[in-house]
Amino acid sequence: MKIIVVGTGYVGLVTGACLSDVGAEVVCIDIDQQKIRNLQAGILPIYEPGLEEIVHRNAQKGRLSFGTDIASGIREADAIFIAVGTPEGEDGSADLKYVIAVAEQIGEHLEDYAVIVTKSTVPVGSSVKVKEAISASMARHGRQVPFDVASNPEFLKEGAAINDFMSPDRIVIGVESDRAAKVMEQIYKPFLLNGFRIIFMDIPSAEMTKYAANAMLATRISFMNDIANLCEILGADINQVRSGIGSDPRIGNKFLYAGIGYGGSCFPKDVKALMRTGEQHGHPLKMLEIVEEINEKQKLVLFRKLCRILGTDLTGKRIAVWGLSFKPQTDDMREAPSIETIHALVRAGAEVRAYDPVAMKEAGRHIDQPVTYTEDEYTALEDADALMLLTEWREFRLPDWERVKALMRRPLILDGRNIYNAKELEAQGFVYQCIGVGNQG
């Protein structure tokens, strides 16, 4: 089976690599010539555990290749996945200009039947626009070739994307014809051998499913953060509350962790886009407005805790930061809570020394304030007045606390992910603050 994937960002590269790993012949296309040259040389544009190995293996076997010319590979393709970016527009809606540009190229060069699959996260109704763009492009070039469109939203978790693709809990596909359904079923059949299922539905429902899923998860996060802040006021412990409500099978225990808010490429953008869709159709999504408001406020919760202890003027104070990416196992800095936190620290006069296992280079592109990036987590602690844990990387879970205390000027720990034990740290002489636990000193 021959597949074209247009776009070599996070979704496109994972999709192309994983499809090639089960035997499909995949060509990944991108207009960024330097990115393609790097991929041809085995240099990946993103960090994702396990991805580099799959790309190298399948490139060496000739099943996975990279190019910049969509026309050269489209002629024999059974399916063409559109996986380009849909950046957030000024009004919060998803910008479809890149998706439509690809659709127009497909209309210009398609010579035989293929299924055009929107893998990018697109608002409800976008597949209609893709279909219209392809047809209009064909008409301009005096051509008429049969094709189908399909919607196949991705549900990949950064840091676990390979496992999510290879062993999906569900595959959602929106189609308009039996012929398109058969092609999509053939593509995903290798991933269904262990009983994972395809959920076929109409295209608008598939497009909505992606947004509704991310909005629901974002809602759970903001709900728990709001409850956590109330727990602090009332003297309750959000960790115990989480255990209590998570044991209810109607609720479940996923996405119930309090922290410093969500970030990344999906939740912030998709929540805003869904809100904008509601507004455009006269149905404002009031709940999501609150979800977003809570999240933006939560990003600075650790900064506010620090100011209550050290004062609002942090001039002369050195703050160590552990973790920069929006979550562990990725270098993704998009909408990361660390950005807002560090900007606030520097504006208040603090000197910031930060360490992240993989995201420091990427952080420099997102944080426009002076930050010293250190070679390891302990170097960041030298003469620090406080340590702020912002991302729960595994290597931060069991540090040498004696060494930590010896390095710091003041033994103050602010844990934005609730991974440490308060009693243990306080017994060693630390002042410890976390999220959602009342009666903190």
Side-chain angles (χ1 to χ4, degrees):
M1 192 163 212
K2 296 186 177 180
I3 297 171
I4 303 293
V5 178
V6 185
T8 58
Y10 182 81
V11 174
L13 191 55
V14 170
T15 298
C18 290
L19 289 175
S20 69
D21 206 46
V22 295
E25 184 179 326
V26 180
V27 180
C28 290
I29 303 293
D30 202 294
I31 60 173
D32 188 330
Q33 295 184 3
Q34 184 57 54
K35 184 187 285 189
I36 291 299
R37 283 194 291 268
N38 286 343
L39 284 166
Q40 290 170 339
I43 303 171
L44 276 60
I46 59 173
Y47 172 80
E48 177 64 34
L51 181 59
E52 186 173 13
E53 178 185 352
I54 292 177
V55 169
H56 290 174
R57 177 171 65 245
N58 288 283
Q60 290 172 359
K61 295 194 175 194
R63 292 194 296 256
L64 179 63
S65 59
F66 303 94
T68 58
D69 182 15
I70 192 172
S72 62
I74 202 173
R75 295 179 180 87
E76 298 178 344
D78 297 291
I80 304 165
F81 284 77
I82 302 176
V84 295
T86 52
E88 182 183 327
E90 292 184 3
D91 63 354
S93 60
D95 190 339
L96 297 180
K97 63 183 177 183
Y98 301 120
V99 173
I100 298 302
V102 173
E104 291 173 345
Q105 285 187 294
I106 291 171
E108 180 180 353
H109 299 291
L110 192 66
E111 293 185 358
D112 199 0
Y113 174 84
V115 179
I116 316 305
V117 186
T118 51
K119 195 71 175 172
S120 304
T121 300
V122 295
V124 177
S126 298
S127 290
V128 173
K129 296 178 181 179
V130 168
K131 190 174 185 177
E132 291 173 346
I134 294 171
S135 297
S137 179
M138 284 184 179
R140 286 195 300 271
H141 293 89
R143 305 170 64 249
Q144 189 173 3
V145 180
F147 69 92
D148 273 309
V149 295
S151 173
N152 177 211
E154 54 86 15
F155 298 98
L156 306 176
K157 298 186 295 292
E158 293 192 42
I162 301 303
N163 183 68
D164 286 347
F165 200 102
M166 294 296 196
S167 302
D169 50 15
R170 83 284 203 201
I171 299 168
V172 173
I173 300 176
V175 292
E176 293 180 321
S177 73
D178 291 339
R179 187 177 185 183
K182 288 178 181 177
V183 171
M184 298 303 294
E185 190 170 19
Q186 184 179 0
I187 290 172
Y188 282 109
K189 186 177 180 180
F191 305 98
L192 304 175
L193 299 179
N194 292 325
F196 303 109
R197 61 180 181 144
I198 295 178
I199 304 174
F200 281 109
M201 58 183 69
D202 61 78
I203 290 176
S205 296
E207 292 171 335
M208 178 59 82
T209 296
K210 168 64 175 179
Y211 280 102
N214 280 351
M216 172 61 81
L217 296 175
T219 298
R220 286 171 70 98
I221 292 171
S222 283
F223 173 80
M224 289 302 291
N225 283 333
D226 213 20
I227 294 296
N229 295 334
L230 183 59
C231 282
E232 291 191 14
I233 296 171
L234 299 177
D237 184 335
I238 191 62
N239 300 303
Q240 297 181 40
V241 172
R242 183 188 72 244
S243 297
I245 66 175
S247 61
D248 186 331
R250 297 170 300 175
I251 297 174
N253 58 12
K254 301 293 179 65
F255 280 80
L256 292 183
Y257 288 87
I260 54 175
Y262 59 78
S265 63
C266 294
F267 287 5
K269 180 169 70 72
D270 291 355
V271 167
K272 290 184 178 71
L274 188 54
M275 289 167 56
R276 181 59 180 159
T277 296
E279 292 168 3
Q280 290 171 338
H281 292 82
H283 184 73
L285 297 171
K286 297 297 185 181
M287 180 178 289
L288 293 188
E289 293 175 12
I290 300 300
V291 167
E292 185 183 40
E293 179 184 334
I294 291 170
N295 191 62
E296 289 306 305
K297 184 179 179 181
Q298 195 70 12
K299 288 181 179 181
L300 290 177
V301 67
L302 225 57
F303 173 74
R304 292 192 293 271
K305 288 177 178 288
L306 180 72
C307 289
R308 285 198 292 269
I309 297 171
L310 299 184
T312 56
D313 183 359
L314 299 178
T315 303
K317 299 294 191 295
R318 175 178 288 183
I319 309 302
V321 170
W322 282 3
L324 296 165
S325 56
F326 87 95
K327 63 180 288 189
Q329 299 298 104
T330 180
D331 62 349
D332 197 338
M333 286 292 300
R334 287 172 288 185
E335 301 279 352
S338 66
I339 298 172
E340 294 295 326
T341 301
I342 290 174
H343 283 177
L345 288 170
V346 175
R347 284 195 299 266
E351 175 194 352
V352 177
R353 292 167 63 86
Y355 172 76
D356 186 284
V358 302
M360 289 190 290
K361 182 178 179 180
E362 189 66 21
R365 301 189 180 102
H366 293 263
I367 298 173
D368 58 2
Q369 299 285 355
V371 175
T372 300
Y373 298 102
T374 64
E375 62 184 13
D376 60 55
E377 63 268 43
Y378 292 106
T379 304
L381 292 170
E382 294 174 356
D383 294 321
D385 293 283
L387 164 62
M388 302 178 81
L389 177 103
L390 303 185
T391 313
E392 65 277 30
W393 286 89
R394 288 195 189 104
E395 62 190 79
F396 299 153
R397 292 182 183 178
L398 196 62
D400 181 342
W401 289 116
E402 289 186 5
R403 184 179 179 188
V404 169
K405 189 175 181 181
L407 287 168
M408 296 180 70
R409 183 185 302 161
R410 177 175 183 151
L412 172 59
I413 310 294
L414 296 108
D415 179 0
R417 300 297 180 179
N418 290 5
I419 68 172
Y420 299 131
N421 184 291
K423 291 182 179 179
E424 289 179 2
L425 289 181
E426 289 166 358
Q428 296 185 59
F430 287 96
V431 175
Y432 176 74
Q433 293 273 306
C434 60
I435 308 296
V437 177
N439 302 320
Q440 297 186 81

